[in-house]
Amino acid sequence: MTERQVALVTGGSRGIGRAVAVRLAADGYDIAFCYRSGADAAAETEKLVREAGAQVHHAPCDVADFDAVQEFVAETGRRLGPVAALVNSAGVVRDNPMVLMPVEDWHTVIDTNLTGTFNFCRSVGFGFMKRKQGVIVNMSSIAGVYGHATQSNYAASKAGIQGMSASLAKEVAPYGIRVNVVAPGFIETDMTDRLPEKVRAEALKSIPLRRYGGADEVADLVSFLVSDRAAYITGEVVQIDGGVAL
Ligand code: NAP
């Protein structure tokens, strides 16, 4: 990249989102990122992004709130310039067998993971089409591909992201805009740290490479999909899971 463009990363304060923000900063993007409430973690991401040589804008923004998302995108434009790359990484889990799942946990996960991803794609879409330029990477999960017991809400949200992204990819391809999905397996972050030890041990047995992935490894894949090296790839779901599907 000759002049710095702007990448917007949701859920950029921690985990995979932070690794993506830092990686895209090193790739030459200025970075906007949002999070829900963790200001200390956001300050740490800001520091890492600045060390990578990028300008940064961040603020709390509930991805499920369409008005807040529109305002965050507009403020990013005023501070850094128009968004050129969007990575939707914000996500939550509320695990339970379906028959025990509180209805509000169904809605929280769908509203955050699926509607949140829609809200950001919807908010940058017109700008991308007007400029005939833009790239989107949405974060799914292998749970969205294969399902996972106790994760009917999460798996539905992630499968929804895949269907939504494929549809959007078809709509915007004529404008030169690419939309891809990354579906990680077990990645070492706060989200997987919170799992009971028994679940972690079981998960490990199902991974042929016999280890969890690193957030940096997911960030490398996102960096590739965002870049022109992936200029002929759109509408794909790329799994990064240590071979779980084998
Ligand atoms: P994480 O460490 O728990 O971080 C989640 C991030 O999302 C935080 O920055 C959090 O901000 C933000 N967030 C949550 N709810 C939000 C909301 N309503 N509005 C705005 N931001 C919100 O998660 P992760 O492990 O990095 O996961 C990142 C993405 O990868 C998620 O979509 C997840 O489903 C997906 N994924 C993860 C794994 C894995 O093994 N870790 C596997 C497959 C897919 P606060 O800290 O302020 O709440």
Side-chain angles (χ1 to χ4, degrees):
M1 264 175 10
T2 43
E3 90 188 39
R4 295 191 83 89
Q5 294 184 320
V6 177
L8 191 162
V9 184
T10 73
S13 61
R14 291 190 285 120
I16 293 170
R18 172 187 285 170
V20 168
V22 174
R23 177 60 204 255
L24 294 183
D27 287 348
Y29 285 91
D30 288 332
I31 302 294
F33 71 90
C34 73
Y35 52 98
R36 190 178 36 193
S37 58
D40 289 350
E44 178 62 19
T45 301
E46 173 179 348
K47 180 171 151 275
L48 296 169
V49 165
R50 285 198 193 283
E51 282 169 5
Q55 291 191 73
V56 60
H57 162 59
H58 64 85
C61 167
D62 181 357
V63 296
D65 178 342
F66 183 65
D67 291 341
V69 167
Q70 287 216 299
E71 178 47 34
F72 184 80
V73 171
E75 185 63 16
T76 297
R78 289 189 287 270
R79 285 174 182 250
L80 299 178
V83 176
L86 168 66
V87 181
N88 280 296
S89 187
V92 290
V93 285
R94 297 283 187 280
D95 294 355
N96 243 319
M98 188 189 277
V99 293
L100 299 176
M101 185 174 288
V103 172
E104 63 264 32
D105 285 358
W106 170 267
H107 288 296
T108 297
V109 170
I110 297 292
D111 291 353
T112 305
N113 299 3
L114 178 56
T115 307
T117 300
F118 164 82
N119 285 342
F120 268 95
C121 291
R122 172 75 173 76
S123 296
V124 302
F126 269 124
F128 280 12
M129 289 163 83
K130 257 180 24 204
R131 292 189 294 279
K132 290 197 167 18
Q133 187 205 9
V135 58
I136 297 174
V137 176
N138 293 328
M139 208 57 70
S140 178
S141 160
I142 54 166
V145 181
Y146 307 110
H148 195 265
T150 74
Q151 290 197 317
S152 57
N153 50 0
Y154 183 75
S157 73
K158 296 301 189 179
I161 284 173
Q162 292 173 198
M164 183 182 75
S165 302
S167 305
L168 180 61
K170 288 184 175 176
E171 291 174 12
V172 297
Y175 298 84
I177 299 160
R178 297 183 298 107
V179 184
N180 287 296
V181 173
V182 169
F186 289 88
I187 308 299
E188 207 63 76
T189 69
D190 294 345
M191 192 177 268
T192 41
D193 280 352
R194 282 194 293 266
L195 293 171
E197 198 41 52
K198 203 173 143 219
V199 176
R200 286 173 58 89
E202 272 308 306
L204 208 52
K205 277 194 232 157
S206 71
I207 304 170
L209 286 180
R210 290 288 182 268
R211 66 172 179 87
Y212 292 106
D216 289 348
E217 293 176 295
V218 180
D220 276 344
L221 175 57
V222 172
S223 161
F224 168 70
L225 288 172
V226 163
S227 78
D228 287 344
R229 286 168 292 154
Y232 203 51
I233 302 177
T234 195
E236 273 299 327
V237 178
V238 184
Q239 292 183 211
I240 173 164
D241 60 12
V244 158
L246 298 174

